[in-house]
Amino acid sequence: MPINNTSTHIKLACLLVTTVLYSTSAHADEDLEQKGYEIAARSDRTDRGFSDSTVKLSMVLRNAAGKESSRSLEMKTYEVQDENVGDKSLVVFDSPRDIKGTALLSHAQILDPDDQWLFLPALKRVKRISSTNKSGPFVGSEFAFEDFTANELNKYSYRWLRNEDCGDLTCDVIERYPRYENSGYTKQISWIDQTDLQIRKLDFYDRKDTLLKTLTFKDYREYDGIWRSHHFSMQNHQTGKSTKLSYSDYKFKNGLTENDFVKGILKRVR
Amino acid sequence: MSDKYLILLLLILSLAIQTALGEIDFSGFTRYEARWFPNSAQFDDQFHGVQNSLTIEPEWVIEDDDHQFSFIPFARIDSRADDRTHADIREAYWLYIQDTWELLIGFNREFWGVTESRHLVNVLNQIDQVENIDEEDYLGQTMINLSLQKDFGRFSFYVLPLFRERTYAGHDGRLRSALIVDEDEAEYDSSAEEWHTDLAFRYSHYFGDWDFGASYFYGTGREPILRANSDGSKLIPHYDIINQFGLDLQYTYKEWLWKFESIVREGQGDTFAATIFGFEYTFFQFRNSDADFGVLIEHLYDNRDKTDAPVTALENDIFLGTRYTFNDIQDTSLLAGAIFDLEDESYSMRLEAERRIGDSFKVEGQLFTNAREDSLASAFKKDDFIQFSISKYF
């Protein structure tokens, strides 16, 4: 009986301890997720109210041997207020010259695949394309399609990891996990500074959960409360290739409307 | 003396336009092309061996927020085939742009449709057939085009004065019929001949994964009936007045693009219908590489009148295609397509490859082989060719 009693007590104690431990860790997990989400949301909301933007991009692709190739393009973005619907964007290539005038129109969704149309100037043809190809390379660069289109807050779930110095600033380090289908990543780790709430660095982990790429954001400038990095640098750790993106001539609130982002206008973009 | 004044005037004018509307955007390409026909020609007068040619297509665009001017002339000089040496104005228009509507006046190219093997609903521009027999080169068409953008889609209205005749290879050219088409003697249903003003309308929109377009064309059909003249020495093209309804549809789901095009045409014998139905499936990042591998299958059907409508080789055919896109820095891609005639089981096939060299050159290769037995395509039975081209873009 006493033996039995003891064992019952031990069992009970064990159960109690496990339950307590389990619930505290579950609770802590939820807290970290909540904290991660909140910081990401605060960072995302610093971008609110830009209405629309136009910017010129120059892209330099560099292979492992150091050989370089460049592209230039223009990007227009239209802000959709609803957080449950993505923004609209239009990318038009200027060089290499053989693809000049090629344009990609995207209507981003949150969890559903984006709607995308491609304009091919040689035939003046507009083609609706599959947006399943999230992880494929964008124009031969180290950027995947999803690196451009998946910057909506609710495309990820989050988990706060730690505080860490990042240059002169202190950053919240937050893991984020794609919630949309067909991502090439199991997770990304983001560094968001606590001063301006901007993302400073992103690590991408591939489907085998090994570190694939690092994207660093430099040269942040403020436009009426809207922050924009003017220099993105993507380093692929597995192939040694890299891609640099330089932004110039940012213009906001140009009075663009949804009608500047319909497929019918693709045939006249230059 | 007057030339000097003219040049000065043009200079002042272009400077004035430039100051008023911003910079002129200049681009375009020039291309050297060599086409080799390994077989001896089937018909008298046709050349043998290699055909060299030079193409130039510059492009000037001036635009501001409300206006766009575009000018794209085109010229080809061919070493062997006289009728392939030709020039055209692909585009020369003024476009007025407002938020919910646009008005375009001038020469332009409009492309409608979704399928790959044949462009059934694409009816506004005449085919520039001496360029290539794949029906993907078009002549500029004069038009007044009003487009209205609504929440529920885009409505485009076209008034199309000045008809353009289809271009055909001359007696010395390859890829021609046994008899030469005499474009100078073209006949028309309309007494106004090439001055008949045609009308067209198109509505296009999308709902979720569905993209669709509905179109209507009334006027001189771009596809002529070719009939031998009285002494049987040549073919005379006859252009009919037609009414044509077109429908194009694409359903985009994951890796699938399901495509459908259909036309109903009245005015060339019995009213007839033609359809294309098929899909394109892409294996993205094929076998864990960066490359995409696409498979295309389309069925082509056409029940046109055998005597009073233009002859088509695509009455009941299957198109099989594959597309291999490397997604590399040089944009290398390979394309293979074959059309099989389901009735006589003959086929024609085309392979294409392209790659950018450096920042502004592109090389392309093409192989065409034809073993079709229908009367139309068998005229090309000795015209298998291998083509190489290098283009400089600026």
Side-chain angles (χ1 to χ4, degrees), chain B residues 40-314:
Chain B
S40 300
Q42 189 178 181
F43 310 117
D44 292 344
D45 303 335
Q46 284 185 309
F47 73 85
H48 303 272
V50 179
Q51 172 180 35
N52 294 292
S53 63
L54 276 176
T55 306
I56 184 159
E57 192 178 303
E59 176 173 344
W60 286 274
V61 176
I62 310 173
E63 60 183 345
D64 68 1
D65 289 344
D66 295 336
H67 303 268
Q68 185 180 72
F69 294 91
S70 169
F71 180 50
I72 309 180
F74 161 88
R76 181 190 286 277
I77 299 166
D78 193 285
S79 68
R80 306 296 289 276
D82 279 351
D83 285 11
R84 213 165 172 243
T85 296
H86 70 302
D88 181 41
I89 296 172
R90 297 298 201 220
E91 286 180 16
Y93 65 71
W94 165 65
L95 174 66
Y96 184 63
I97 304 162
Q98 290 297 294
D99 187 41
T100 56
W101 61 276
E102 293 178 12
L103 179 68
L104 181 145
I105 298 172
F107 289 81
N108 195 22
R109 288 173 294 183
E110 274 277 300
F111 187 92
W112 299 345
V114 294
T115 55
E116 302 296 328
S117 54
R118 188 183 185 193
H119 306 305
L120 266 184
V121 305
N122 190 37
V123 73
L124 294 193
N125 291 84
Q126 181 59 277
I127 293 167
D128 193 358
Q129 195 161 264
V130 289
E131 276 298 292
N132 215 330
I133 52 162
D134 61 5
E135 305 194 344
E136 297 216 323
D137 294 280
Y138 296 91
L139 299 172
Q141 171 65 48
T142 47
M143 63 176 75
I144 300 169
N145 167 212
L146 175 70
S147 296
L148 309 176
Q149 182 68 44
K150 302 283 180 195
D151 291 344
F152 43 93
R154 197 172 182 88
F155 298 80
S156 292
F157 303 86
Y158 303 84
V159 176
L160 308 150
L162 193 56
F163 173 82
R164 308 287 310 274
E165 278 183 60
R166 187 165 293 199
T167 60
Y168 288 97
H171 62 96
D172 53 0
R174 299 296 286 259
L175 298 162
R176 68 159 165 92
S177 46
L179 296 178
I180 303 302
V181 177
D182 189 343
E183 291 155 50
D184 296 333
E185 291 190 24
E187 295 168 358
Y188 296 86
D189 266 3
S190 167
S191 57
E193 302 195 319
E194 67 263 50
W195 298 97
H196 183 271
T197 297
D198 306 331
L199 301 170
F201 166 75
R202 177 171 167 86
Y203 168 69
S204 69
H205 197 42
Y206 76 101
F207 282 118
D209 299 329
W210 296 85
D211 284 63
F212 53 87
S215 54
Y216 170 68
F217 173 88
Y218 163 76
T220 303
R222 275 45 178 156
E223 197 182 355
I225 300 173
L226 302 174
R227 290 200 180 94
N229 64 347
S230 52
D231 65 0
S233 62
K234 57 191 177 186
L235 296 173
I236 308 296
H238 179 93
Y239 292 96
D240 300 289
I241 292 283
I242 61 161
N243 279 288
Q244 178 170 312
F245 292 93
L247 187 69
D248 54 276
L249 201 63
Q250 183 178 315
Y251 175 59
T252 306
Y253 178 72
K254 295 188 172 173
E255 294 87 352
W256 296 92
L257 311 179
W258 288 93
K259 300 168 174 191
F260 176 76
E261 280 192 28
S262 180
I263 58 160
V264 173
R265 190 187 294 172
E266 181 267 323
Q268 293 176 323
D270 295 335
T271 299
F272 66 89
T275 58
I276 303 176
F277 174 66
F279 68 82
E280 178 169 353
Y281 181 89
T282 306
F283 297 90
F284 293 111
Q285 295 175 287
F286 188 58
R287 299 175 74 99
N288 286 323
S289 70
D290 282 342
D292 298 331
F293 177 59
V295 177
L296 299 87
I297 299 179
E298 290 177 359
H299 177 251
L300 300 96
Y301 169 77
D302 194 318
N303 73 355
R304 64 182 59 198
D305 197 301
K306 294 261 191 253
T307 50
D308 292 325
V311 180
T312 181
L314 305 170

Side-chain angles (χ1 to χ4, degrees), chain A residues 70-88:
Chain A
S70 60
R71 280 123 181 65
S72 58
L73 43 136
E74 235 182 281
M75 192 167 172
K76 290 181 182 176
T77 311
Y78 180 80
E79 182 182 26
V80 176
Q81 295 298 333
D82 188 350
E83 250 172 40
N84 297 311
V85 186
D87 290 345
K88 297 181 176 183

Side-chain angles (χ1 to χ4, degrees), chain A residues 61-63 67-71 88 94 96-100 107 113 115 117 121-137 139-141 181-182 207 241 257-260 262-265 267-270, chain B residues 25-27 59 61 63 68 70 72 91 93 95 97 99-100 102 108-111 113-116 119 136 138 149 154 158 205-206 208-209 211 250 252 254-255 257 284-285 290 292 323 327-331 356 359 362 393-394:
Chain A
L61 285 55
R62 198 179 159 94
N63 71 11
K67 192 170 169 281
E68 290 189 347
S69 162
S70 60
R71 280 123 181 65
K88 297 181 176 183
D94 188 53
R97 299 303 265 179
D98 62 311
I99 59 163
K100 181 185 188 292
H107 291 180
D115 296 337
W117 294 267
L123 258 181
K124 296 201 80 182
R125 182 172 177 182
V126 176
K127 263 180 120 168
R128 172 77 175 262
I129 58 168
S130 165
S131 62
T132 299
N133 185 23
K134 298 251 189 274
S135 51
V139 293
S141 75
E181 277 183 71
N182 303 111
R207 291 187 180 124
K241 294 195 241 173
T257 71
E258 285 200 293
N259 285 342
D260 293 308
V262 293
K263 64 172 176 170
I265 61 104
K267 63 187 182 191
R268 66 157 160 84
V269 298
R270 301 291 173 142
Chain B
D25 183 24
F26 174 66
S27 61
E59 176 173 344
V61 176
E63 60 183 345
Q68 185 180 72
S70 169
I72 309 180
E91 286 180 16
Y93 65 71
L95 174 66
I97 304 162
D99 187 41
T100 56
E102 293 178 12
N108 195 22
R109 288 173 294 183
E110 274 277 300
F111 187 92
V114 294
T115 55
E116 302 296 328
H119 306 305
E136 297 216 323
Y138 296 91
Q149 182 68 44
R154 197 172 182 88
Y158 303 84
H205 197 42
Y206 76 101
D209 299 329
D211 284 63
Q250 183 178 315
T252 306
K254 295 188 172 173
E255 294 87 352
L257 311 179
F284 293 111
Q285 295 175 287
D290 282 342
D292 298 331
R323 195 199 303 272
N327 292 319
D328 56 347
I329 289 177
Q330 283 79 32
D331 280 334
R356 175 169 50 248
D359 278 336
K362 188 158 95 178
Y393 289 81
F394 42 85

